[in-house]
């Protein structure tokens, strides 16, 4: 099982570099630079991370066809590979509809979104292959159609935490070619014994829950609670403690990973048994050096145990 970490471009470059060095030196296999929607040019962060790390891959995403042109991404990856070697990967997907709306982007006809992501991915793959680069293209997926489409890529990062949901999603993927990797991408936070959940973690998990497609919400009995929570968000204009109260801790824990180092090890074994190859620990974990140090320590403990 590979452990990976998502870095948030909203932090300072100095902080991101320090966090990336601790993670890479501690055995984290890939650092994902989260650039959705872009608040800063991701290539600046990618270059800084590449300059200061050696033994890890660097992923960039989520890259959406609703925000970028294939030619932009191909040129971006070419520049990075020429400067720092063949160690860059890409995460592609449509992106959260609400976050897109906040930056003035209309998703348009949602029935064609998988087709648009497919065309976008194909064009990028053609372009990077013509330039002779080796880039893994991953798909970020939550809905059943995007999950099934992901089988045509190099890997998928599932926006699920709950093992029952993960099992269902893996069944949806179906048969895949050799080398295809399945990952989960939970909002994450490490706590000490008896420590309360972090509000930043709870908000991150709530955002993931609120983005759940209706068909999946129906399958797992979440339609009613998500409907009430979405009304609360529309009234207040933000995801906050009231949203978390409405969702309740049980729902929050289904969409995020918060626990002790031992809990992370137990979760790793549980999803590995389902067929998961990779866990990418999502925000807010990668925003705080103390959290990343705790993650590295937990990784060492898991390796020793398993």
């Amino acid at each position: 099982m590979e452990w990976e970490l998502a870095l948030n471009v909203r932090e300072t470059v100095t902080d991101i570099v320090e966090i990336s060095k601790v993670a890479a030196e501690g055995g984290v296999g890939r650092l994902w630079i989260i650039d959705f929607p872009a608040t800063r040019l991701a290539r600046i962060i990618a270059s800084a991370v590449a300059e200061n790390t050696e033994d890890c891959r660097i992923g960039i995403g989520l890259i959406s066809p609703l925000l970028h042109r294939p030619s932009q991404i191909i040129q971006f990856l070419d520049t990075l590979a020429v400067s720092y070697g063949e160690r860059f990967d890409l995460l592609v997907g449509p992106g959260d509809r609400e976050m897109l709306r906040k930056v003035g982007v209309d998703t348009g006809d949602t029935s064609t979104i998988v087709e648009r992501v497919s065309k976008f991915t194909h064009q990028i793959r053609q372009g990077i292959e013509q330039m002779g680069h080796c880039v893994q293209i991953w798909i970020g997926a939550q809905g059943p159609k995007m999950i099934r489409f992901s089988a045509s890529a190099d890997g998928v990062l599932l926006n699920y935490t709950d093992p029952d949901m993960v099992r269902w999603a893996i069944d949806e993927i179906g048969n895949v070619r050799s080398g295809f990797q399945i990952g989960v991408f939970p909002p994450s936070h490490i706590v000490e014994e008896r420590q309360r959940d972090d509000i930043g973690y709870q908000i991150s998990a709530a955002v993931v829950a609120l983005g759940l497609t209706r068909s999946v919400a129906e399958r797992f009995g979440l339609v009613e609670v998500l409907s009430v929570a979405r009304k609360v968000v529309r009234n207040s204009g933000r995801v906050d403690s009231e949203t978390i109260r409405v969702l309740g801790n049980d729902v929050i824990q289904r969409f995020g990973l918060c626990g002790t180092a031992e809990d992370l090890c137990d979760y790793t074994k549980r999803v590995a048994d389902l067929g998961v190859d990779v866990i990418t620990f999502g925000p807010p974990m990668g925003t705080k050096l103390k959290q990343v140090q705790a993650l590295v320590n937990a990784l060492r403990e898991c390796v020793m145990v398993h």
Side-chain angles (χ1 to χ4, degrees):
M1 171 72 75
E2 190 78 56
W3 280 21
E4 303 179 349
L5 179 67
L7 306 175
N8 194 330
V9 297
R10 292 181 179 86
E11 314 310 312
T12 67
V13 176
T14 301
D15 287 345
I16 292 171
V17 166
E18 187 174 10
I19 286 169
S20 67
K21 288 169 67 176
V22 169
E25 291 168 5
V28 172
R30 184 186 280 108
L31 300 171
W32 285 101
I33 297 170
I34 302 303
D35 184 23
F36 178 82
T39 56
R40 181 185 300 164
L41 289 174
R43 61 176 165 268
I44 296 174
I45 306 299
S47 297
V49 171
E51 190 77 45
N52 288 277
T53 59
E54 295 179 2
D55 298 326
C56 69
R57 296 192 67 83
I58 298 170
I60 297 149
L62 186 132
I63 301 296
S64 171
L66 304 176
L67 289 171
H68 302 281
R69 297 190 305 274
S71 57
Q72 289 177 308
I73 305 306
I74 293 164
Q75 184 59 52
F76 169 41
L77 289 168
D78 179 53
T79 300
L80 288 171
V82 168
S83 300
Y84 301 104
E86 304 291 339
R87 53 187 299 215
F88 297 92
D89 301 317
L90 199 63
L91 177 64
V92 176
D96 182 83
R97 190 183 309 178
E98 187 61 25
M99 292 179 72
L100 287 166
R101 186 189 65 78
K102 287 182 178 180
V103 295
V105 176
D106 184 358
T107 57
D109 183 1
T110 55
S111 68
T112 66
I113 193 66
V114 174
E115 181 183 339
R116 282 182 277 170
V117 170
S118 175
K119 182 179 179 181
F120 182 73
T121 302
H122 179 69
Q123 290 174 331
I124 292 173
R125 189 180 293 282
Q126 277 192 318
I128 59 179
E129 285 179 352
Q130 287 171 4
M131 290 186 170
H133 297 310
C134 179
V135 175
Q136 293 180 16
I137 299 182
W138 292 62
I139 302 297
Q142 190 182 58
K145 290 182 181 178
M146 192 66 68
I147 288 171
R148 289 191 289 270
F149 161 70
S150 72
S152 65
D154 297 306
V156 61
L157 282 185
L158 298 167
N159 216 0
Y160 292 113
T161 307
D162 184 296
D164 289 338
M165 294 183 180
V166 173
R167 182 185 295 107
W168 165 79
I170 290 174
D171 288 343
E172 287 291 308
I173 294 171
N175 294 327
V176 294
R177 65 177 183 272
S178 176
F180 181 87
Q181 290 189 294
I182 296 172
V184 292
F185 187 14
S188 305
H189 185 69
I190 296 179
V191 297
E192 301 292 338
E193 294 288 352
R194 296 181 296 280
Q195 186 177 345
R196 294 183 62 184
D197 288 359
D198 176 79
I199 184 66
Y201 154 75
Q202 291 174 320
I203 289 174
S204 294
V207 169
V208 175
L210 292 168
L212 193 66
T213 60
R214 183 172 181 84
S215 63
V216 181
E218 288 174 346
R219 173 176 289 274
F220 291 99
L222 294 167
V223 172
E224 186 175 347
V225 68
L226 291 179
S227 177
V228 174
R230 285 167 182 149
K231 288 178 183 176
V232 169
V233 173
R234 283 196 296 271
N235 290 336
S236 66
R238 64 185 184 277
V239 177
D240 55 18
S241 57
E242 178 61 15
T243 314
I244 293 164
R245 186 192 67 77
V246 169
L247 286 172
N249 189 59
D250 287 347
V251 172
I252 291 294
Q253 292 299 335
R254 295 181 77 176
F255 291 92
L257 182 58
C258 181
T260 63
E262 184 179 356
D263 292 331
L264 264 64
C265 293
D266 290 344
Y267 179 80
T268 295
K269 185 178 186 307
R270 190 174 178 187
V271 294
D273 289 342
L274 297 177
V276 173
D277 306 294
V278 170
I279 299 178
T280 299
F281 295 95
M285 182 176 285
T287 65
K288 299 172 183 175
L289 182 60
K290 186 177 180 180
Q291 280 283 298
V292 177
Q293 289 169 331
L295 177 68
V296 167
N297 291 336
L299 176 56
R300 292 195 187 106
E301 288 183 25
C302 286
V303 170
M304 290 175 64
V305 171
H306 301 294

